[in-house]
Amino acid sequence: MATVKESVKESLVGTTLEPEFSAQTKARFDRYAQKDEETGEVYMTSEGFVDAIAPQNEDYHKIKRDQYAILFRVADHKKTGKLSLQDWAIFENLLAKPDAEYEIAFRLFDVEGIGAVKYDEFQRLYNVNKSSDSIPFDWNCEWATLYVGGRKRRHDMTYPQFSQMLRGLQGERIRQAFHYFDKNGSGYIEPDDFQRIILETSKHKLSDHLLENLPSLCNISAGSKISYANVRAFQNVIREMDLVEVIIRNATSKSDDGKITRTDFLNEASRITRFSLFTPMEADILFHFASLDEPSGRLGIKDFKKVLDPSWHRGLYGFRDGASEAAAGVSSSASNVLHKVLESAHHFALGSIAGAFGAFMVYPIDLVKTRMQNQRSSRVGEMLYKNSIDCAKKVIKNEGFKGLYSGVLPQLVGVAPEKAIKLTVNDLVRAKFSDRQGRIYWPYELLAGGSAGACQVIFTNPLEIVKIRLQVQGEVAKTVEGAPKRSAMWIVRNLGLVGLYKGASACLLRDVPFSAIYFPSYNHLKRDVFGESPTKKLGILQLLTAGAIAGMPAAYLTTPCDVIKTRLQVEARKGETRYLSLRHCASTVWREEGFRAFFKGGPARILRSSPQFGFTLAAYEVLQGLLPMPGSAEADAKRAAKGMGEVDPSASVREAKGPLPYLRSRNALKLILDLDENFGRPKVPTKEGWLKVPGLGRAAA
């Protein structure tokens, strides 16, 4: 029955539909609103409003949290002292506008809500909220009359006019403040006066590092005072902070050591900017404040972030004093050592996998090379293979395809420590003799490569002798009837520790010159041919090519040493010459087989070494991309791309983070605080009572 009556009533007098709000808007309102138990009304107070737009866990050391209450008046357009769900939804919608910051400031002074700011109302609100001891500002000055008209022709300001007035207000405040302190009209003020000007006009926009060191601006010139040119140049720098950061990032990325000079900054500014050119004085001011803790003249991002990041303060970036700083240094050192150990283990693991992959891919070529080098031609009938291709065909025919991989297991097991030792020692020696820019004198390059080759013999020689005996085992089985097939473990036990290092001198003679040729060639090819630099990362194809080309001369020129090593390590058959030493082997081969015998298997060695390094480097690059070191920049970037985390903000200038209502509200307050640093702060009681912004509470009479 009730439903019928309601339907008739709706058809006669109509109905009003409640506006629909998003679930997110309603949920946020319900979270911070309260309910009147008597009337059932749900509303949001000023305190709840501040909780909604200014979360407790944000940083309020610049703009105090209680100052966000000034925005309550913008949301409370009905002037009731409380917000309904509809009022909150309107304010949230306002925050979503692209020009929300300026419109919020405009609505604060548009008391009547008519779309214009009246001059008298603007003056009243300004006088109520400014500090009693603030530097005077003349609203009847020529600059102000351009926006609101002269005393006899005042006019209201529209939204575009008001926004543009706010844009230029800070500069005019600084100009008038300078005249206020420049009593004698000399064009100079004291450093303390300059500090007070900036603290009153720009404290909410600048880092603590800048604010603490403002008086030192007088040191950029010969005198002890600060000129108006200095003040104007300082203002231009802080106004163009975003552009300054872009220029610095571009310039440092092109530097070998990630640091730049004043000249580098100005040169990069000329490339990037078209109209906003920086004067020499502006560059001097920027580098003066950034270099206070690093007076070398060459500065990096870490030096500039103390100037560029307005949220920078000592607690934020872990700066400490005294004993706590010393304790932090010890902890940091221990952490760095642990990180280096873990990083070495990570590189060792990736290098092992990549090295094993490269060795496996070219192992058939290595087997053919060994068979060719072991073939003796001193007597008729001993020539089993005509060339490398003939050797490969006969191996497949007599031993099957698996014969090409005879002895592959010891190779895969031993290649991990071999590659790790070689790469690590080369990097350590290069780092020892390189300058800050990474440049190294070529004899030291040869020393680094040779040292790497010498150290790897510890692992290479046992690996090689076991591998070679396994590789020729199939050949022996076909030529010697009843020859037993031995396993790798049998060979190790039979040789013993001393026997595993048979031919070590020849191995040393081969690996030292190989690495001494290979590593310098590889690094010069990357830098001089392919143009690798701190700003240019080579692709996999370029790395493959550089590795392959560098391996060719290194492999071929050391083939004689490899032939001698192979002959010494292969077990001599019945009727064959048994070599007694490196010199005896070399002289016997020369006498019985001639000079050409020293280059047997040379082409196969080139075909093996070049692609092996190519496959190894390609695998290493791919693995680094797939499995970056946890905690590294690559790992953080990868996690951030997947939404799993963020890059460490201390590594660069901090990006603004937080809920959108908070960020937009904070930016609106920055504009409002250009009028006065204490705008919206509770005032001390005066003879007239508490001074507050109308709409935020009842003023005492």
Side-chain angles (χ1 to χ4, degrees), residues 3-77:
T3 305
V4 175
K5 289 182 178 180
E6 291 174 359
S7 300
V8 172
K9 181 180 178 180
E10 289 177 1
S11 63
L12 293 175
V13 300
T15 181
T16 301
L17 297 176
E18 291 293 329
E20 295 184 1
F21 305 105
S22 69
Q24 185 178 5
T25 297
K26 192 173 187 307
R28 189 176 287 112
F29 176 80
D30 291 339
R31 180 180 178 184
Y32 298 103
Q34 60 187 51
K35 185 176 182 180
D36 190 321
E37 297 298 335
E38 295 182 1
T39 62
E41 180 186 10
V42 180
Y43 61 92
M44 186 183 289
T45 62
S46 175
E47 291 77 11
F49 174 81
V50 172
D51 290 338
I53 66 170
Q56 293 278 1
N57 59 342
E58 297 296 338
D59 183 8
Y60 297 103
H61 91 287
K62 282 296 172 189
I63 301 177
K64 304 307 177 184
R65 190 166 182 268
D66 55 14
Q67 290 180 281
Y68 285 79
I70 192 73
L71 303 182
F72 180 78
R73 181 178 179 275
V74 177
D76 182 24
H77 58 91

Side-chain angles (χ1 to χ4, degrees), residues 81-118:
K82 53 187 178 182
L83 302 182
S84 65
L85 174 59
Q86 188 171 5
D87 295 332
W88 171 252
I90 292 173
F91 184 77
E92 271 209 333
N93 180 259
L94 173 61
L95 288 175
K97 289 188 173 183
D99 57 345
E101 294 83 354
Y102 280 99
E103 189 161 346
I104 288 173
F106 176 76
R107 291 193 184 189
L108 178 66
F109 292 95
D110 180 16
V111 178
E112 299 179 7
I114 59 175
V117 174
K118 294 181 176 295

Side-chain angles (χ1 to χ4, degrees), residues 343-609:
E343 189 176 28
S344 298
H346 176 261
H347 288 308
F348 182 90
L350 295 187
S352 300
I353 298 172
F357 174 74
F360 183 83
M361 295 300 292
V362 300
Y363 191 80
I365 303 175
D366 185 61
L367 182 133
V368 171
K369 182 264 309 179
T370 302
R371 296 278 180 97
M372 290 296 296
Q373 289 179 341
N374 187 51
Q375 179 173 256
R376 307 193 186 191
S377 56
S378 59
R379 290 182 296 181
V380 179
E382 282 193 28
M383 293 290 290
L384 295 177
Y385 316 115
K386 298 177 182 178
N387 49 48
S388 297
I389 297 176
D390 180 57
C391 178
K393 288 180 179 179
K394 288 182 178 178
V395 169
I396 296 174
K397 179 181 178 181
N398 297 326
E399 304 170 44
F401 183 77
K402 290 176 63 177
L404 292 173
Y405 283 91
S406 298
V408 70
L409 186 59
Q411 174 78 344
L412 298 183
V413 172
V415 77
E418 175 196 340
K419 298 300 181 189
I421 285 287
K422 178 185 288 190
L423 296 172
T424 302
V425 172
N426 178 69
D427 289 344
L428 287 174
V429 178
R430 285 185 69 90
K432 177 69 176 177
F433 294 105
S434 297
D435 58 19
R436 291 185 177 181
Q437 284 72 42
R439 296 187 295 264
I440 183 173
Y441 190 38
W442 69 266
Y444 293 133
E445 286 189 282
L446 296 177
L447 176 63
S451 301
C455 292
Q456 80 172 63
V457 173
I458 299 172
F459 294 97
T460 303
N461 204 83
L463 163 71
E464 290 277 332
I465 194 168
V466 174
K467 179 195 73 172
I468 287 172
R469 295 200 174 192
L470 288 171
Q471 285 179 336
V472 300
Q473 191 170 236
E475 177 184 288
V476 174
K478 293 298 178 182
T479 57
V480 180
E481 187 176 349
K485 191 171 184 180
R486 308 297 189 185
S487 66
M489 290 305 299
W490 185 93
I491 295 173
V492 171
R493 286 195 299 267
N494 185 59
L495 287 171
L497 182 61
V498 177
L500 286 172
Y501 284 92
K502 185 179 180 180
S505 55
C507 195
L508 201 64
L509 191 62
R510 179 199 65 176
D511 289 343
V512 170
F514 179 91
S515 296
I517 296 171
Y518 176 76
F519 282 110
S521 301
Y522 177 64
N523 283 288
H524 280 281
L525 282 168
K526 288 196 302 179
R527 186 178 68 242
D528 302 332
V529 177
F530 296 103
E532 184 184 46
S533 68
T535 60
K536 180 182 179 181
K537 184 179 179 181
L538 300 185
I540 294 177
L541 184 60
Q542 293 169 309
L543 291 172
L544 286 174
T545 307
I549 295 174
M552 290 178 182
Y556 193 76
L557 293 176
T558 57
T559 299
C561 303
D562 195 46
V563 170
I564 295 172
K565 179 194 71 68
T566 301
R567 295 291 180 91
L568 285 170
Q569 292 179 336
V570 171
E571 189 175 4
R573 306 171 201 166
K574 291 181 180 180
E576 292 182 340
T577 302
R578 185 179 297 273
Y579 303 114
L580 303 177
S581 65
L582 189 150
R583 180 178 294 182
H584 177 255
C585 179
S587 60
T588 302
V589 171
W590 175 277
R591 185 177 61 253
E592 295 181 356
E593 303 175 53
F595 178 76
R596 294 182 60 184
F598 286 107
F599 287 90
K600 282 184 177 181
R605 184 166 159 77
I606 292 175
L607 290 174
R608 185 211 68 170
S609 296

Side-chain angles (χ1 to χ4, degrees), residues 629-669:
M629 171 72 181
S632 65
E634 293 81 2
D636 288 336
K638 189 174 181 180
R639 285 171 60 84
K642 294 181 177 180
M644 298 168 61
E646 295 167 349
V647 177
D648 179 12
S650 65
S652 60
V653 180
R654 289 165 56 89
E655 176 186 350
K657 295 181 175 65
L660 185 60
Y662 162 70
L663 296 177
R664 282 286 174 82
S665 301
R666 185 192 63 185
N667 291 339
L669 274 175

Side-chain angles (χ1 to χ4, degrees), residues 115-358:
V117 174
K118 294 181 176 295
Y119 175 76
D120 293 337
E121 196 64 37
F122 176 77
Q123 275 286 82
R124 183 176 68 84
L125 287 177
Y126 172 76
N127 291 329
V128 165
N129 285 275
K130 75 179 183 69
S131 304
S132 58
D133 58 346
S134 61
I135 300 172
F137 183 79
D138 181 14
W139 284 99
N140 293 312
C141 66
E142 183 179 356
W143 176 86
T145 59
L146 294 175
Y147 290 98
V148 298
R151 293 185 177 182
K152 296 182 179 180
R153 295 186 178 182
R154 299 287 190 202
H155 61 78
D156 300 341
M157 284 184 286
T158 62
Y159 171 55
Q161 291 172 336
F162 179 82
S163 301
Q164 206 59 44
M165 184 272 293
L166 279 185
R167 173 75 170 166
L169 177 62
Q170 189 178 61
E172 178 61 18
R173 286 189 66 197
I174 291 175
R175 187 190 69 82
Q176 289 194 24
F178 186 91
H179 280 295
Y180 176 78
F181 288 110
D182 183 20
K183 303 295 185 182
N184 56 8
S186 65
Y188 291 89
I189 60 175
E190 295 293 335
D192 291 343
D193 295 333
F194 168 70
Q195 185 175 34
R196 183 183 172 188
I197 292 174
I198 300 304
L199 287 175
E200 286 201 19
T201 59
S202 309
K203 180 181 178 181
H204 57 288
K205 292 181 176 180
L206 302 180
S207 69
D208 287 359
H209 174 78
L210 268 180
L211 298 176
E212 292 168 2
N213 295 284
L214 286 172
S216 67
L217 183 62
C218 65
N219 293 330
I220 70 169
S221 56
S224 61
K225 292 188 176 183
I226 296 175
S227 67
Y228 182 69
N230 297 147
V231 176
R232 182 58 67 184
F234 178 85
Q235 185 202 0
N236 291 344
V237 170
I238 64 176
R239 188 175 57 189
E240 299 289 350
M241 281 296 194
D242 293 332
L243 178 58
V244 168
E245 181 181 344
V246 173
I247 295 171
I248 290 173
R249 286 191 178 279
N250 278 26
T252 53
S253 68
K254 297 175 182 178
S255 171
D256 291 338
D257 59 353
K259 295 184 177 183
I260 60 171
T261 62
R262 173 183 175 276
T263 302
D264 297 328
F265 173 82
L266 289 174
N267 289 340
E268 189 62 29
S270 299
R271 297 187 189 98
I272 292 179
T273 60
R274 296 181 180 178
F275 305 106
S276 301
L277 295 178
F278 289 88
T279 66
M281 183 179 289
E282 290 165 1
D284 288 339
I285 289 174
L286 173 63
F287 273 77
H288 165 72
F289 286 107
S291 64
L292 290 175
D293 296 328
E294 181 61 38
S296 65
R298 291 187 62 81
L299 306 177
I301 286 290
K302 288 185 178 181
D303 302 308
F304 286 108
K305 72 182 177 185
K306 293 182 290 188
V307 177
L308 299 174
D309 186 0
S311 64
W312 188 95
H313 58 92
R314 298 193 179 276
L316 179 64
Y317 286 100
F319 286 81
R320 301 174 177 86
D321 297 319
S324 61
E325 184 175 3
V330 173
S331 175
S332 176
S333 299
S335 177
N336 288 337
V337 171
L338 178 60
H339 179 77
K340 289 180 180 179
V341 171
L342 293 175
E343 189 176 28
S344 298
H346 176 261
H347 288 308
F348 182 90
L350 295 187
S352 300
I353 298 172
F357 174 74

